[in-house]
């Protein structure tokens, strides 16, 4: 076991035989380590999802008065403040946007990730999301997976080039575990983190992501995060409209990105972390109170909406007495309103003191935007696009446009819903949205 972190060790101090596990060849030793990282990270993903669910149910189900959850006016604010306090006085370290910090460390060849990142993101995101933060759990668990891999790699004395690989495996296993999407986790490491593709790294990454995803899937009783009661089928005659939907998702992705950027710029000007938490928490609380579907990751709302349960958009809100049987326009308008403010709510969560992820919010925003856009297309052109179907497809389109990772987006959507038969429209929407954002961004950069 080395006495220094790998990034501080003089060049040439490591050689392949130094870190072999017993008499195993170096590559096999790496695969064993990837297996261990996948198992532990998948278990951590299950733990994080379970605790967040328990805490959110406690808040949502026990503070309703006449169908309205008035506690939502203060609970998200309390969650942000408690998370800031935990970071300042518990961890004595700011772990907001932890995955971005870890990615920066890896690019600077600093492969020793502080141990705080193994448990800190789980504890902090439980407070943030369980108490109403409008974001996802994927960033924190990916940070945990990467940090765990760093600690194990340091323990066995991995050389720097293999430390980079195992850290990427840990982050990918976190994404695979939290979304129950092994291929999506692999695409995250390749597309977003930019890990180099060699035979050894790809095999290790595959092992970690498959085991991480399957561990989480098994521990949750082999259930999907977005379980759909009604089958979703794709009509090939819709292909042209799917391209249109992809273009519209691209435009919406640009809008989402700008709203998030402006909100982050506003919060970034506030020097006091407590004042920032107060302002961000207040913005978040108001939005969650007006639109309770913004609470947490919103997976159940997405599943219900795709299945046609329009009450999912108004449960626990001021709007729950609306007459849903008379028109579908109320649902369409609500989806449009939620899509309009989701970027603000997510940034208020992640940049105001909370600890959460940015990927799940894009899926939720895409579901809302897809439902709204399909409804508007039906009204304007007299067509009959299936709204739930378009909401599912637009999840990938919006995630692809915002994160700019089309492969990861399409695989995560089909894996977390279980509808692999929807791969064609999901892929088309994802690629078209990405191309739309890329072309508009390129035009702006050339001005």
């Amino acid at each position: 076991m080395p006495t220094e972190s790998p990034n501080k060790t003089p060049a040439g101090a490591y050689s392949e035989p130094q870190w072999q596990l017993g008499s195993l060849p170096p590559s096999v030793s790496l695969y064993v380590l990837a297996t261990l990282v996948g198992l532990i990270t998948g278990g951590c993903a299950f733990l994080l999802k379970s605790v967040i669910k328990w805490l959110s149910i406690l808040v949502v189900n026990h503070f309703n008065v006449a169908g309205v959850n008035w506690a939502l006016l203060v609970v998200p604010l309390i969650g942000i403040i408690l998370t800031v306090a935990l970071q300042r006085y518990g961890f004595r370290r700011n772990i907001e946007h932890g995955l971005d910090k870890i990615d920066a460390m890896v690019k600077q060849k600093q492969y020793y990730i502080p141990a705080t990142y193994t448990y800190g993101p789980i504890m902090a995101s439980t407070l943030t999301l369980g108490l109403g933060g409008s974001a996802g759990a994927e960033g924190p668990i990916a940070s945990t997976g990467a940090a765990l891999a760093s600690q194990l790699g340091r323990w066995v004395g991995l050389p720097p080039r293999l430390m980079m690989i195992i850290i990427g495996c840990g982050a990918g296993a976190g994404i695979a575990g939290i979304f129950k999407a092994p291929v999506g986790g692999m695409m995250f490491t390749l597309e977003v983190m930019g890990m180099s593709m060699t035979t050894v790294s790809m095999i290790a990454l595959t092992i970690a992501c498959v085991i991480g995803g399957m561990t989480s899937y098994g521990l949750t009783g082999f259930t999907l995060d977005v379980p759909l009661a009604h089958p979703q089928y794709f009509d090939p005659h819709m292909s042209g409209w799917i391209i249109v939907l992809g273009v519209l998702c691209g435009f919406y992705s640009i809008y989402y990105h700008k709203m998030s950027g402006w909100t982050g710029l506003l919060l970034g000007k506030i020097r006091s972390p407590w004042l920032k938490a107060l302002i961000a928490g207040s913005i978040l609380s108001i939005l969650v109170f007006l639109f309770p579907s913004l609470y947490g990751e919103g997976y159940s709302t997405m599943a219900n909406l795709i299945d046609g349960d329009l009450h999912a958009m108004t449960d626990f809100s001021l709007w729950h007495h609306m007459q849903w049987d008379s028109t579908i326009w109320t649902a369409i308008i609500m989806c449009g309103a939620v899509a309009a403010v989701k970027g603000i709510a997510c940034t208020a969560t992640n940049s105001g003191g909370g600890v959460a992820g940015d990927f799940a919010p894009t899926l939720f925003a895409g579901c809302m935007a897809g439902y709204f856009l399909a409804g508007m297309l039906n009204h304007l052109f007299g067509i009959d696009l299936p709204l739930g179907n378009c909401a599912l497809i637009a999840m990938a389109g919006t995630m692809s446009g915002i994160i700019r990772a089309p492969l990861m987006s399409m695989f995560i959507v089909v894996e977390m819903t279980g509808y692999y038969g929807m791969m064609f429209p999901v892929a088309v929407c994802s690629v078209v949205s990405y191309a739309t954002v890329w072309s508009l961004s390129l035009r702006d950069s050339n001005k």
Side-chain angles (χ1 to χ4, degrees):
M1 175 177 174
T3 57
E4 296 181 273
S5 61
N7 54 298
K8 293 182 179 179
T9 302
Y14 283 88
S15 60
E16 297 290 335
Q18 284 185 303
W19 62 274
Q20 291 183 38
L21 298 179
S23 60
L24 295 176
S27 59
V28 177
S29 300
L30 180 64
Y31 303 153
V32 171
L33 199 58
T35 300
L36 184 60
V37 168
L39 279 171
I40 299 176
T41 304
C44 289
F46 164 72
L47 175 65
L48 178 59
K49 293 175 75 72
S50 300
V51 177
I52 289 174
K53 181 179 180 180
W54 173 82
L55 186 57
S56 61
I57 289 176
L58 180 67
V59 173
V60 171
N61 289 355
H62 294 275
F63 297 97
N64 296 316
V65 179
V68 180
N69 196 328
W70 294 94
L72 297 181
L73 276 171
V74 295
V75 169
L77 171 60
I78 294 173
I80 296 295
I81 292 176
L82 288 177
T83 304
V84 171
L86 179 63
Q87 293 178 83
R88 289 179 65 84
Y89 303 117
F91 307 147
R92 299 187 181 277
R93 180 188 296 272
N94 183 347
I95 60 174
E96 288 180 41
H97 302 289
L99 194 55
D100 292 338
K101 292 183 173 70
I102 290 175
D103 190 39
M105 292 179 198
V106 173
K107 290 178 179 177
Q108 294 170 7
K109 302 185 184 304
Q110 298 176 8
Y111 301 123
Y112 172 50
I113 300 172
T116 305
Y117 283 95
T118 60
Y119 58 86
I122 293 179
M123 297 173 64
S125 62
T126 296
L127 289 176
T128 300
L129 298 175
L131 295 177
S134 188
E138 68 286 340
I141 198 62
S143 299
T144 292
L148 173 67
S150 172
Q151 296 292 320
L152 290 175
R154 181 171 180 254
W155 178 61
V156 300
L158 287 182
R161 69 179 184 85
L162 295 182
M163 283 290 289
M164 180 179 65
I165 293 176
I166 201 64
I167 289 172
C169 291
I175 296 296
I178 208 70
F179 287 120
K180 303 173 187 174
V183 181
M186 294 169 60
M187 292 302 105
F188 162 78
T189 303
L190 299 175
E191 279 190 301
V192 179
M193 294 192 70
M195 191 174 88
S196 60
M197 292 186 292
T198 65
T199 302
V200 170
S201 64
M202 281 301 300
I203 294 176
L205 178 61
T206 301
I207 292 172
C209 290
V210 169
I211 292 179
M214 292 300 100
T215 298
S216 176
Y217 185 49
L219 290 174
T220 53
F222 300 98
T223 59
L224 298 170
D225 285 332
V226 185
L228 302 179
H230 303 299
Q232 299 292 317
Y233 301 105
F234 174 64
D235 182 357
H237 296 93
M238 289 174 53
S239 298
W241 288 109
I242 296 303
I243 295 176
V244 174
L245 183 62
V247 173
L248 294 176
C249 284
F251 281 106
Y252 172 69
S253 298
I254 294 173
Y255 164 82
Y256 182 102
H257 187 269
K258 288 187 179 296
M259 295 303 294
S260 298
W262 289 337
T263 305
L265 185 63
L266 171 65
L267 294 174
K269 294 179 179 179
I270 304 173
R271 296 184 177 275
S272 169
W274 297 111
L275 180 59
K276 181 190 296 186
L278 180 62
I279 294 176
S282 298
I283 293 172
L284 177 63
S285 291
I286 292 171
L287 292 177
V288 171
F289 176 72
L290 292 175
F291 306 108
S293 58
L294 291 170
Y295 195 112
E297 295 173 309
Y299 289 159
S300 60
T301 299
M302 292 159 59
N304 291 334
L305 183 66
I306 293 172
D307 278 332
D309 180 7
L310 305 185
H311 292 281
M313 297 305 300
T314 58
D315 286 344
F316 311 115
S317 75
L318 295 171
W319 329 109
H320 75 287
H321 290 305
M322 295 179 119
Q323 298 300 316
W324 290 94
D325 295 334
S326 60
T327 178
I328 199 173
W329 275 104
T330 307
I332 294 174
I333 292 171
M334 287 290 291
C335 285
V338 170
V341 301
K342 178 60 177 180
I344 300 173
C346 175
T347 306
T349 301
N350 290 330
S351 297
V355 175
D358 298 315
F359 294 174
T362 65
L363 292 171
F364 180 86
C367 184
M368 300 296 112
Y371 199 95
F372 171 76
L373 293 171
M376 294 303 296
L377 289 174
N378 286 346
H379 175 69
L380 294 174
F381 299 99
I383 54 179
D384 190 26
L385 294 174
L387 300 186
N389 207 291
C390 290
L392 185 153
I393 294 168
M395 289 165 58
T398 301
M399 185 182 208
S400 174
I402 297 172
I403 307 299
R404 304 197 183 187
L407 292 175
M408 180 187 76
S409 303
M410 64 179 74
F411 278 107
I412 282 181
V413 169
V414 297
E415 286 182 293
M416 71 188 304
T417 60
Y419 279 92
Y420 293 88
M422 294 291 289
M423 176 59 85
F424 175 73
V426 164
V428 169
C429 187
S430 177
V431 171
V432 170
S433 176
Y434 174 79
T436 300
V437 173
W438 179 83
S439 60
L440 292 175
S441 300
L442 183 63
R443 187 191 67 177
D444 291 342
S445 65
N446 291 331
K447 287 184 178 179

